[in-house]
Amino acid sequence: MYEFYLLDIDNTLLNFDAAEIRSFRKLLESYHISYEEELFRHYKKINKNFWNLLEQGKVDKETVLIGRFKELFAYLGLEADPSEAEKRFQNHLSDSDDKMPHAEETLLQLKSEGKKIYSASNGVYNTQIKRLKAAGLFQYFEGMFVSEKIGYEKPDKSFFDHCFKKIKDFDKSKTIMVGDSLTSDIQGACNSGIDSCLYTPKGSSTSSKATHTINDLRELLSL
């Protein structure tokens, strides 16, 4: 049975999709730009490309966070400071408390069974902590592993090696990585030699690399 749970945050415990679109709307409002679905899709494409480069180790986190808005502003023909836009965007994200279905009840049950729960996220540290607190989930964790503090990104093996060293009485055979991303969560688990669980609430993803696949977080309780 698993004793140590490394849990991704975005779109695993917290609904990042909902938080992202709301924060993007507010960001545009601050620049007096009207929100359009096409513009949001263009931003998502830019953002995804940057995060893919980060996972491949081709750029650093700052390049991702600033570069996405620099490219967006160039597309809009807007002269604005991308660093300031990133600060505004993170502030909006920090206020988001949208949870994924059954996230809290699952964490509560795991905690009551004596499981050790840790976050394992590629996000911005302060933003992730604030969001977990706003959602009422922070108290369920034994520790917080966020790439910005660690210095490595999932799926880099070094990210997981850091986590393993910090977990008391760690046992790799009793550890599982849970997340929605094939490229960071599942691949990272493979790279580090631990079991994995792909969370796919819409039932849209499968992977032969994942040890388990679930569509409902409550399924974690029966693994």
Side-chain angles (χ1 to χ4, degrees), residues 143-196:
M144 309 300 297
F145 298 126
V146 182
S147 60
E148 186 179 53
K149 289 287 187 180
I150 294 175
Y152 299 98
E153 312 285 334
K154 295 179 297 181
D156 194 320
K157 183 176 179 294
S158 296
F159 175 96
F160 292 90
D161 287 342
H162 173 91
C163 299
F164 300 162
K165 290 177 182 178
K166 296 294 183 179
I167 297 175
K168 184 179 180 181
D169 301 322
F170 175 72
D171 185 337
K172 182 178 286 192
S173 68
K174 297 180 180 180
T175 303
I176 187 168
M177 174 71 218
V178 183
D180 68 302
S181 173
L182 292 170
T183 55
S184 63
D185 302 318
I186 306 307
Q187 187 59 53
C190 290
N191 293 346
S192 58
I194 59 173
D195 282 2
S196 63

Side-chain angles (χ1 to χ4, degrees), residues 14-201:
L14 298 180
N15 189 334
F16 182 78
D17 289 344
E20 181 183 35
I21 191 169
R22 185 169 56 249
S23 299
F24 188 74
R25 280 179 179 273
K26 290 182 178 179
L27 177 66
L28 292 183
E29 288 174 4
S30 70
Y31 289 100
H32 307 290
I33 300 172
S34 299
Y35 173 85
E36 296 178 0
E37 288 288 344
E38 184 178 349
L39 180 56
F40 181 63
R41 285 195 295 269
H42 186 74
Y43 163 77
K44 291 275 287 183
K45 182 179 180 180
I46 293 172
N47 190 49
K48 183 178 181 180
N49 288 339
F50 271 108
W51 282 99
N52 285 341
L53 290 173
L54 180 69
E55 290 179 2
Q56 295 167 27
K58 296 180 179 180
V59 299
D60 59 20
K61 176 67 71 60
E62 184 176 3
T63 298
V64 174
L65 301 180
I66 306 302
R68 57 187 179 178
F69 291 113
K70 181 178 181 180
E71 191 169 324
L72 178 67
F73 289 160
Y75 172 77
L76 292 170
L78 177 67
E79 292 187 7
D81 182 358
S83 298
E84 175 60 27
E86 169 60 18
K87 291 178 183 177
R88 295 183 188 184
F89 186 68
Q90 290 299 329
N91 285 335
H92 295 317
L93 280 179
S94 296
D95 295 332
S96 302
D97 60 359
D98 308 82
K99 294 186 285 286
M100 294 299 285
H102 313 298
E104 185 163 12
E105 64 184 278
T106 300
L107 291 177
L108 177 60
Q109 184 61 36
L110 288 174
K111 189 77 171 180
S112 69
E113 294 176 3
K115 309 300 184 182
K116 305 301 182 183
I117 305 169
Y118 299 84
S119 72
S121 168
N122 275 354
V124 176
Y125 184 82
N126 287 335
T127 300
Q128 299 297 58
I129 299 302
K130 289 178 181 178
R131 291 173 65 218
L132 286 171
K133 288 182 176 179
L137 302 182
F138 184 78
Q139 70 270 18
Y140 297 110
F141 293 87
E142 299 289 326
M144 309 300 297
F145 298 126
V146 182
S147 60
E148 186 179 53
K149 289 287 187 180
I150 294 175
Y152 299 98
E153 312 285 334
K154 295 179 297 181
D156 194 320
K157 183 176 179 294
S158 296
F159 175 96
F160 292 90
D161 287 342
H162 173 91
C163 299
F164 300 162
K165 290 177 182 178
K166 296 294 183 179
I167 297 175
K168 184 179 180 181
D169 301 322
F170 175 72
D171 185 337
K172 182 178 286 192
S173 68
K174 297 180 180 180
T175 303
I176 187 168
M177 174 71 218
V178 183
D180 68 302
S181 173
L182 292 170
T183 55
S184 63
D185 302 318
I186 306 307
Q187 187 59 53
C190 290
N191 293 346
S192 58
I194 59 173
D195 282 2
S196 63
C197 180
L198 176 64
Y199 173 50
T200 173

